[in-house]
Amino acid sequence: ISEINPPGSTIKIVTSASAFEENLIDLNSDTFFCSGYLQVQDAKIGCSLRSGHGSQTFTQALTNSCNPAFMEIGLRLGVQKFSYYLQGFGLTEKTGIDLPGEVSSVVVPEDKMTQVDLASGAYGQTNETTALELITAYSAAINGGYVVEPYVVDHVIDSSGNTVLQNTRTVKRQIVSEETSQTMREQLEAVVSSNPSHNAYIQGYRIGGKSGTAEIRATRDIEDDYVASYCCFAPAEDPQVLGIVVIRNPQGIYYGGTIAAPVLRSIYDNVLPYLGIEKN
């Protein structure tokens, strides 16, 4: 809650959900071609796979975490809609969690956002958020579209055992439909289930997830630095647990799917059985 970073490809959940809500992606007919880069105005913005992914369905583009595909989706949304959904998903405001020291995100405002800002923001650069803002937005994408206020304290009792404070689920707004959320749950599960060697895969559990790798230098005038992240939920058919791991300035390998996903997998290996969620 006290440090902001570019979210990297984890923001593609927000970009995707926004586009599905606006009926800008057709899972049956849309394809996205990646030559290894996309020219946006005077900027040549590359993909993580320099040779390019070629022609892809949306599911393949999400699984490949293809930047040009998501730049195209961001450009389909346009500045006004992209800004609307960033705000709607809570990425331009503090979450309001019951802890001190929460800081604000840094997001390019709509009236100053260029096409390059839009394209890079759609795949996770340019803007910076806290991990809690990001996971709150991710939650809204898969929980039926509801942006909720997170809290740590469930209830407070006095010395006599009387409950003097009881926190309950507080919904700020619904930003996407249940239909969009179902699509996102299915697509994010496909990212993990389509590849059993995936670092978040746990046999017997249905898990949906997305990795993120962002370059800090893109938004700050400092030496090369990266932030690696992974965000996933389980069970995919009825999400009960949503987790995020963020690794700042990793040494050596810096890809979120390689170094952050295994951390969440080891957590889920313990948390899911503890909650009584059985393998099938």
Side-chain angles (χ1 to χ4, degrees):
I1 64 171
S2 59
E3 181 180 272
I4 58 173
N5 289 300
S9 292
T10 49
I11 202 66
K12 291 171 182 173
I13 288 89
V14 171
T15 305
S16 301
S18 305
F20 279 120
E21 188 69 12
E22 294 294 321
N23 296 312
L24 296 174
I25 300 173
D26 188 321
L27 287 173
N28 297 315
S29 61
D30 267 352
T31 57
F32 301 88
F33 185 81
C34 170
S35 62
Y37 71 93
L38 186 68
Q39 186 76 36
V40 182
Q41 293 182 324
D42 59 349
K44 184 178 179 180
I45 307 174
C47 186
S48 57
L49 184 65
R50 294 188 178 183
S51 60
H53 292 104
S55 181
Q56 313 157 93
T57 64
F58 171 81
T59 306
Q60 290 170 330
L62 183 64
T63 302
N64 292 333
S65 200
C66 176
N67 290 342
F70 279 87
M71 285 187 271
E72 180 180 335
I73 293 169
L75 293 169
R76 288 184 187 183
L77 278 164
V79 168
Q80 184 178 11
K81 286 294 185 181
F82 185 65
S83 297
Y84 168 80
Y85 282 103
L86 285 180
Q87 182 177 353
F89 273 102
L91 293 171
T92 61
E93 64 186 14
K94 295 179 182 179
T95 66
I97 193 169
D98 50 343
L99 288 172
E102 184 175 17
V103 301
S104 299
S105 57
V106 175
V107 174
V108 178
E110 180 182 338
D111 61 350
K112 297 185 183 302
M113 188 179 296
T114 66
Q115 293 296 293
V116 174
D117 293 331
L118 170 61
S120 61
Y123 74 85
Q125 293 285 171
T126 302
N127 302 312
E128 298 189 352
T129 68
T130 65
L132 188 62
E133 280 179 310
L134 189 59
I135 203 171
T136 301
Y138 199 125
S139 178
I142 64 168
N143 72 5
Y146 299 99
V147 179
V148 296
E149 184 174 318
Y151 60 85
V152 175
V153 176
D154 179 71
H155 65 279
V156 177
I157 59 174
D158 63 19
S159 57
S160 301
N162 300 310
T163 301
V164 295
L165 171 69
Q166 177 69 61
N167 275 321
T168 57
R169 185 171 187 253
T170 302
V171 175
K172 295 181 177 180
R173 57 190 164 271
Q174 185 177 14
I175 183 60
V176 295
S177 65
E178 168 55 41
E179 181 182 4
T180 293
S181 275
Q182 180 178 345
T183 299
M184 290 308 303
R185 290 192 296 269
E186 293 169 350
Q187 293 300 305
L188 290 164
E189 181 184 4
V191 171
V192 178
S193 63
S194 63
N195 183 9
S197 65
H198 194 287
N199 285 325
Y201 181 86
I202 303 175
Q203 186 174 3
Y205 286 120
R206 293 174 59 183
I207 294 174
K210 186 73 192 74
S211 63
T213 307
E215 189 176 2
I216 303 293
R217 193 176 186 180
T219 50
R220 299 178 188 163
D221 188 20
I222 59 175
E223 295 180 0
D224 286 329
D225 195 3
Y226 293 89
V227 57
S229 59
Y230 198 85
C231 193
C232 67
F233 59 93
E237 69 273 20
D238 180 25
Q240 301 296 314
V241 184
L242 176 63
I244 188 169
V245 168
V246 179
I247 301 175
R248 182 68 174 356
N249 191 21
Q251 303 301 300
I253 297 173
Y254 53 81
Y255 294 109
T258 304
I259 62 174
V263 181
L264 265 180
R265 183 181 61 205
S266 66
I267 293 171
Y268 277 38
D269 263 334
N270 289 278
V271 168
L272 297 179
Y274 176 81
L275 293 177
I277 300 172
E278 297 181 356
K279 292 185 177 182
N280 57 46

